[in-house]
Amino acid sequence: MSNETNWRCRFHMLPPKGWLNDPNGLCQFQGTYHVFFQYTPEFPRQELRAWGHYASSDLLHFRFTGIALQPDSPYDRTGAFSGSACTEADTIALYYTGNVELEGEHDYTHSGRESNTLRVTTRNGIQVSEKICVLDNSNYPAGYTCHIRDPKVWKEGDTYYMVLGARRLDDSGAILLYQSQDGLHWKLFSERTSRQPFGFMWECPDLFQMDGKTFLSFCPQGIPAEPYRFQNLHQSGYLPFCLTSTEPINETVFREWDMGFDFYAPQTFQDEQGRRILIGWAGGPETTYQEPTLKQNWIHTLTLPRQITCQQGILKQMPLPEFNELRSQCQELPSGQWYRADHCFDWELELLPESEPAFSIHITEECKLSYSNGILTLQFTGKSGAGRTRRQVRCETIRTIRILADCSILECFFNDGAIVMTTRFFPEDSLLPIRADGAFQKNILWNLNTKDCICTVLEKNE
Ligand code: FRU
């Protein structure tokens, strides 16, 4: 097996071939979990976005079932862009943006782009009803560019709500909020932007409740980098939100979901057990680093599904408890010694309570996670970061660490998921030398049984 083959993830959803970006239409319907995603199988020869579809009964094993939405109608002919799912008693309603780029001389921001909000229904993510356009450019309020997209729809009582991301004519990001009684006819009830400038465009909004509090998640584009924040080109985070207020949004309390190199466009949904689950794109738009898997004709993955909990206003993210079912043998690792690990692992560490919180963790000689003097650092040296260099977070202490490795992705959870760092990496070898230095009371490495987690082989009749 070549190194390149070894980069294909075993338990993260990835494109069967070609390009993947945002997760879309996340839901659980009659027991089955559905994960749609932005998909361009013929990338880089082609750029048109479709919706690919994975189905799962346990959130551990995912089966690709093909393309659910093709950009094949007059409403979406240059892209079936991102959107969400709203489950009904007997069907799933999918809402998404039909992107239409017109021929002619346009900048595609101020002219030349239709952003149609489309609705379809499906019961299985395979057969999908005809496309109905519920909002088009003529329905959006004045003061906006043609960048309006990524509907997230939910239902409260008898009322449907929709939030759309937007770029205003003055180059400020905003959201539009709509209401409907039937999911087809929508009425604008609120437009919200920030108090101070906070990026020129807000993509992929999401609005949900946790422990009785409402949160708005969105992806602001164009926020200047700071030493310990906003280090990626475009951001993704959340803040507390009040749906009935008309006040500008307090952007100073925005908190990033993930402080690593590769994270964007997350969506959440509530499953049938009532859990709030988040999946993100383990990638990002317009990044400067390379994606060496392109040589192998595929690019990008989704993050693992993460369970969200709320503690003192902070949303924590951890792998779902069912993920532990993949664990097989475990090994206690001595501090300060190299160990050769398989390229899929689940590593748990805990610092001694009375110890100075300082550590360094190596995953190969080229990737280091370290904490000292209140700064958490993820740093690459050498080829395997493919242009990724350093990400840093300021935090008071670190007590728990959990690192999940899957061939070419690392998801690192600190302090029970209060801080998360996701990165892609492309090691030479499929055995990874790892080492942790620090005063740990726990340092346990689990092997994972990842057989059949991700199936991208289509059955003949599909
Ligand atoms: C975010 C995004 C969305 C858009 C989609 C197109 O990554 O730009 O705003 O709907 O990707 O693939």
Side-chain angles (χ1 to χ4, degrees):
M1 227 182 331
S2 76
N3 301 332
E4 291 173 21
T5 314
N6 287 340
W7 289 335
R8 258 188 98 73
C9 305
R10 306 293 158 89
F11 58 91
H12 281 79
M13 283 172 272
L14 34 57
K17 61 173 185 165
W19 168 281
L20 165 151
N21 60 301
D22 314 356
N24 294 151
L26 307 179
C27 63
Q28 186 179 17
F29 177 67
Q30 298 181 349
T32 302
Y33 290 96
H34 297 275
V35 178
F36 300 85
F37 59 94
Q38 289 284 282
Y39 183 34
T40 305
E42 301 309 325
F43 183 86
R45 195 169 55 74
Q46 219 212 45
E47 287 278 355
L48 277 184
R49 299 280 181 265
W51 278 35
H53 176 246
Y54 274 105
S56 174
S57 57
D58 59 4
L59 288 172
L60 290 173
H61 301 88
F62 293 90
R63 194 167 62 91
F64 177 73
T65 71
I67 292 184
L69 289 171
Q70 291 278 12
D72 57 3
S73 81
Y75 300 121
D76 61 5
R77 65 183 166 78
T78 52
F81 275 13
S82 285
S84 60
C86 182
T87 51
E88 304 277 357
D90 57 350
T91 194
I92 307 169
L94 300 175
Y95 292 85
Y96 70 101
T97 300
N99 182 60
V100 177
E101 288 170 37
L102 305 170
E103 282 84 47
E105 280 286 299
H106 297 291
D107 67 357
Y108 298 100
T109 295
H110 301 91
S111 75
R113 185 189 299 273
E114 292 172 5
S115 298
N116 300 306
T117 303
L118 304 182
R119 180 185 188 269
V120 298
T121 57
T122 182
R123 290 175 53 82
N124 53 16
I126 299 169
Q127 282 93 27
V128 176
S129 72
E130 75 171 306
K131 298 171 181 176
I132 297 176
C133 181
V134 299
L135 291 170
D136 64 23
N137 287 18
S138 68
N139 303 119
Y140 304 128
Y144 288 81
T145 66
C146 30
H147 286 295
I148 294 181
R149 57 175 168 267
D150 309 334
K152 166 82 184 203
V153 173
W154 71 100
K155 200 174 178 184
E156 267 174 56
D158 288 338
T159 307
Y160 294 88
Y161 292 86
M162 180 193 293
V163 57
L164 282 164
R167 172 175 181 163
R168 287 152 44 109
L169 285 174
D170 63 2
D171 281 341
S172 55
I175 53 166
L176 300 176
L177 286 156
Y178 285 82
Q179 256 177 349
S180 170
Q181 291 314 307
D182 59 5
L184 289 166
H185 302 86
W186 292 88
K187 229 180 126 156
L188 182 76
F189 73 92
S190 183
E191 296 173 54
R192 304 283 292 279
T193 186
S194 46
R195 289 183 192 165
Q196 297 297 322
F198 199 60
F200 58 81
M201 166 73 191
W202 293 358
E203 291 191 318
C204 300
D206 189 359
L207 222 155
F208 56 89
Q209 292 197 339
M210 286 292 305
D211 292 355
K213 297 183 195 71
T214 303
F215 291 91
L216 171 69
S217 163
F218 60 107
C219 296
Q221 298 197 310
I223 299 178
E226 294 174 14
Y228 304 107
R229 294 206 309 164
F230 308 145
Q231 294 163 86
N232 290 335
L233 183 61
H234 298 311
Q235 318 309 327
S236 170
Y238 63 88
L239 34 74
F241 187 76
C242 177
L243 195 60
T244 49
S245 161
T246 51
E247 294 294 307
I249 294 168
N250 177 9
E251 73 289 339
T252 62
V253 292
F254 182 82
R255 196 178 155 94
E256 286 174 83
W257 283 114
D258 190 300
M259 305 303 289
F261 295 94
D262 297 276
F263 186 88
Y264 196 70
Q267 278 288 307
T268 72
F269 72 105
Q270 198 168 32
D271 76 353
E272 288 170 354
Q273 296 170 44
R275 301 180 298 179
R276 177 72 41 193
I277 297 172
L278 173 146
I279 300 179
W281 170 27
E286 303 166 68
T287 51
T288 51
Y289 17 90
Q290 298 94 51
E291 303 299 336
T293 60
L294 254 184
K295 281 190 282 189
Q296 225 200 340
N297 197 24
W298 69 280
I299 173 167
H300 297 312
T301 76
L302 297 180
T303 67
L304 279 187
R306 300 173 180 173
Q307 183 166 357
I308 308 291
T309 52
C310 181
Q311 247 174 47
Q312 286 150 0
I314 291 181
L315 299 180
K316 293 187 164 184
Q317 309 162 63
M318 282 303 276
L320 293 167
E322 45 265 62
F323 183 77
N324 294 0
E325 288 167 32
L326 298 184
R327 289 173 167 181
S328 54
Q329 304 98 315
C330 79
Q331 179 107 12
E332 210 175 310
L333 300 187
S335 187
Q337 280 179 34
W338 287 102
Y339 177 85
R340 278 161 81 78
D342 180 57
H343 60 173
C344 293
F345 62 72
D346 183 354
W347 192 5
E348 281 192 307
L349 301 106
E350 230 173 273
L351 284 133
L352 278 166
E354 66 281 9
S355 68
E356 175 71 9
F359 61 81
S360 62
I361 293 174
H362 302 263
I363 298 159
T364 77
E365 286 182 6
E366 298 190 348
C367 175
K368 186 164 121 183
L369 278 162
S370 56
Y371 182 76
S372 64
N373 299 325
I375 307 290
L376 175 67
T377 304
L378 164 61
Q379 181 145 14
F380 282 99
T381 48
K383 230 172 100 194
S384 60
R388 291 158 182 82
T389 51
R390 194 172 71 179
R391 292 289 178 266
Q392 291 195 302
V393 193
R394 215 194 323 242
C395 54
E396 234 165 68
T397 185
I398 299 282
R399 287 291 155 201
T400 67
I401 306 158
R402 184 163 173 199
I403 303 170
L404 299 178
D406 184 4
C407 303
S408 60
I409 182 170
L410 297 172
E411 292 189 60
C412 312
F413 302 86
F414 302 94
N415 294 345
D416 304 317
I419 300 171
V420 188
M421 292 176 117
T422 300
T423 186
R424 300 298 306 281
F425 79 132
F426 308 93
E428 293 257 300
D429 213 344
S430 60
L431 279 177
L432 304 176
I434 61 171
R435 188 180 114 184
D437 299 270
F440 301 108
Q441 63 177 5
K442 180 178 188 182
N443 182 356
I444 291 182
L445 183 79
W446 297 86
N447 281 354
L448 296 173
N449 179 8
T450 57
K451 196 168 164 292
D452 303 327
C453 279
I454 304 293
C455 173
T456 56
V457 182
L458 279 183
E459 280 163 29
K460 271 214 186 79
N461 56 0
E462 284 170 346

